[in-house]
Amino acid sequence: MTDIARLPKPTLDVWEWQFQGHCRQVSPEVFFHPEGERGNQRRSRDDRAKAVCDSCPVLRRCREHALASREPYGVWGGMTEDERIRVLNQRELAS
């Protein structure tokens, strides 16, 4: 579950960046895997999601949000769940 204590207060100026996300024009199913999806199917779906993120004007903010709130599911800011976990683990080791 997302740690909501880490999230900013729900004000428009804090969340407005989400309105600019390219993901708003794509089905959420591209970004969140169905239960039991594995292997090539999952990699292919993740790659499609990352392709949407690649040219997104809010990629960096989305990634920062996902890492700060420890989003547990889906592709956020061009990163899969496993990629985010690796980054967070590396940060913890470095500190």
Side-chain angles (χ1 to χ4, degrees), residues 58-70 77 91:
V58 295
L59 178 124
R60 187 178 307 269
R61 292 206 54 195
C62 182
R63 183 175 292 169
E64 290 168 4
H65 159 77
L67 291 168
S69 63
R70 298 182 184 261
R91 286 181 180 178

Side-chain angles (χ1 to χ4, degrees), residues 2-55:
T2 301
D3 183 358
I4 62 172
R6 298 171 189 246
L7 298 176
K9 293 184 177 19
T11 59
L12 184 59
D13 58 319
V14 174
W15 294 101
E16 192 171 29
W17 62 267
Q18 292 183 352
F19 290 116
Q20 299 169 26
H22 286 176
C23 58
R24 293 179 54 86
Q25 308 303 318
V26 180
S27 171
E29 288 139 6
V30 171
F31 298 93
F32 298 94
H33 66 85
E35 191 169 334
E37 182 185 60
R38 300 276 188 271
N40 289 336
Q41 269 190 319
R42 185 161 179 177
R43 275 188 294 282
S44 177
R45 187 197 38 73
D46 284 343
D47 288 345
R48 285 193 314 273
K50 288 178 176 187
V52 173
C53 297
D54 280 346
S55 62

